[in-house]
């Protein structure tokens, strides 16, 4: 399928981000948010299958062609909420919808719960709430994060001698993907360096979180979502643990269980078509 999009860079008040634009300028405004360590290419199969939408598929800060956060700043999950809001402001969108995969789905739920008046619809793929932690774990978690941050200068991102080796490594990464999906992510996510290729992603994205929301915190955001919401769950995805299945069964969202892995919307055309079949009438 031929994919037509426009590459743009947006100068937000606090950071510069890159994005792919799909669809007509007067289409329903949608901001698409990818998963952890992915990039805007995550939606390269799905976005063209959603006609009538003006989709802004972001490279979230620290990913793809977007800038890294300045030294001293972190990548807490809630920090992305401001990035998304500032993108909406750039386009003059007071009301908009969100399309999120994995981490991007979590960011979408946080934003829709915090500012429900801004979000028209939520379309989520294999993600709802972040990994949570309870109060008694907080001191140890912060300590581990601080130690890791002090040691970050001693770590180097891996360098792959060839593009193909980088693709093979991505296929086996978190949320394993098909070769075609890995190639799409790598084409946008790799950069040449002495000795081969490495990922553009900020190395700080691999650091442990200094603080996690409690389960009660996370569910409070879900409870404040007032817009129509549909959730696609991958039968071989990352939300198959019994506790997560129990959680999702209780969510007040429309749910669709589809065959495929965590990146079912990107792995192949059949998966993208199946996800689009859920979302196209939802947005229409």
């Amino acid at each position: 399928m031929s994919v037509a999009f426009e590459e743009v860079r947006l100068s937000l008040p606090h950071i510069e981000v890159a994005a792919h634009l799909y669809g007509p300028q007067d289409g329903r405004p949608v901001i698409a948010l990818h998963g952890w360590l992915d990039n805007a290419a995550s939606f390269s199969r799905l976005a063209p299958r959603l006609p009538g939408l003006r989709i802004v598929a972001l490279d979230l800060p620290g990913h793809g062609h977007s800038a890294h956060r300045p030294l001293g700043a972190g990548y807490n999950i809630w920090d992305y909420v401001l990035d998304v809001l500032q993108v909406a402001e750039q386009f003059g969108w007071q009301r908009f919808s969100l399309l999120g995969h994995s981490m991007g789905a979590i960011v979408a739920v946080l934003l829709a719960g915090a500012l429900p008046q801004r979000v028209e619809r939520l379309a989520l793929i294999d993600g709802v709430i972040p990994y949570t932690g309870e109060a008694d774990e907080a001191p140890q978690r912060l300590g581990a994060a601080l130690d890791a941050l002090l040691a970050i200068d001693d770590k180097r991102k891996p360098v792959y001698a060839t593009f193909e080796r980088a693709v093979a490594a991505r296929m086996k990464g978190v949320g394993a993907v098909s070769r075609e999906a890995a190639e799409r992510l790598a084409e946008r996510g790799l950069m040449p360096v002495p000795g081969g290729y490495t990922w553009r992603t900020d190395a700080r994205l691999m650091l442990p979180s200094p603080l996690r929301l409690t389960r009660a915190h996370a569910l409070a955001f879900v409870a404040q979502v007032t817009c129509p919401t549909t959730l696609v769950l991958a039968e071989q995805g990352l939300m198959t643990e019994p506790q997560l299945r129990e959680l999702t069964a209780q969510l007040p969202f429309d749910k669709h269980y589809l065959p495929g892995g965590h990146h079912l919307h990107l792995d192949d055309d059949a998966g993208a078509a199946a996800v689009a079949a859920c979302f196209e009438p939802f947005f229409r």
Side-chain angles (χ1 to χ4, degrees):
M1 148 175 268
S2 176
V3 179
F5 62 84
E6 179 185 354
E7 175 88 33
V8 297
R9 298 195 69 83
L10 304 172
S11 295
L12 308 183
H14 62 297
I15 199 167
E16 186 174 84
V17 297
H20 288 167
L21 302 185
Y22 295 88
Q25 291 189 13
D26 61 352
R28 179 192 290 270
V30 178
I31 302 176
L33 310 174
H34 60 76
W36 181 61
L37 302 184
D38 289 343
N39 53 59
S42 178
F43 298 101
S44 59
R45 286 191 195 270
L46 179 59
R49 289 178 162 86
L50 298 174
L53 305 183
R54 181 59 163 174
I55 297 176
V56 179
L58 286 182
D59 285 336
L60 289 167
H63 298 76
H65 288 257
S66 288
H68 297 179
R69 297 206 192 278
L71 294 177
Y75 287 95
N76 294 310
I77 188 76
W78 46 83
D79 292 330
Y80 293 115
V81 175
L82 177 61
D83 303 323
V84 178
L85 274 176
Q86 291 287 9
V87 168
E89 293 293 307
Q90 286 267 312
F91 284 91
W93 294 346
Q94 283 302 303
R95 295 266 293 167
F96 52 91
S97 297
L98 293 169
L99 165 60
H101 169 242
S102 192
M103 182 185 78
I106 295 166
V107 174
V109 170
L110 293 179
L111 175 49
L115 292 175
Q117 70 276 15
R118 298 295 300 269
V119 181
E120 286 188 336
R121 288 178 177 264
L122 281 183
L124 311 175
I125 305 171
D126 222 38
V128 179
I129 66 170
Y131 290 111
T132 58
E134 298 308 314
D136 59 350
E137 305 167 356
Q140 291 76 22
R141 178 167 295 282
L142 178 58
L146 291 170
D147 284 339
L149 189 58
L150 289 174
I152 190 67
D153 289 339
D154 297 328
K155 294 185 178 181
R156 295 290 182 268
K157 288 188 289 186
V159 174
Y160 304 95
T162 64
F163 179 87
E164 289 71 23
R165 288 187 181 181
V167 167
R170 181 61 189 89
M171 289 173 65
K172 302 174 185 176
V174 176
V177 298
S178 68
R179 176 170 293 279
E180 286 189 13
E183 287 174 349
R184 289 175 183 240
L185 294 172
E187 284 170 0
R188 185 161 185 82
L190 287 176
M191 62 181 183
V193 293
Y197 298 88
T198 194
W199 296 98
R200 297 178 182 274
T201 45
D202 192 333
R204 291 175 293 170
L205 289 166
M206 273 69 82
L207 294 176
S209 301
L211 188 66
R212 284 183 175 176
L213 298 178
T214 67
R215 185 179 179 87
H217 280 130
L219 294 179
F221 282 93
V222 173
Q224 292 300 310
V225 174
T226 59
C227 65
T229 301
T230 191
L231 168 63
V232 165
L233 290 161
E235 292 178 354
Q236 292 79 45
L238 296 185
M239 299 187 67
T240 57
E241 297 178 4
Q243 283 187 331
L244 288 175
R245 285 294 191 189
E246 181 182 353
L247 167 67
T248 55
Q250 298 172 5
L251 292 174
F253 303 155
D254 290 333
K255 292 175 282 291
H256 305 269
Y257 296 87
L258 298 181
H262 185 55
H263 288 75
L264 75 167
H265 65 298
L266 180 65
D267 278 334
D268 53 42
D269 284 338
V275 175
C278 298
F279 288 163
E280 194 274 333
F282 172 72
F283 282 116
R284 175 160 41 82

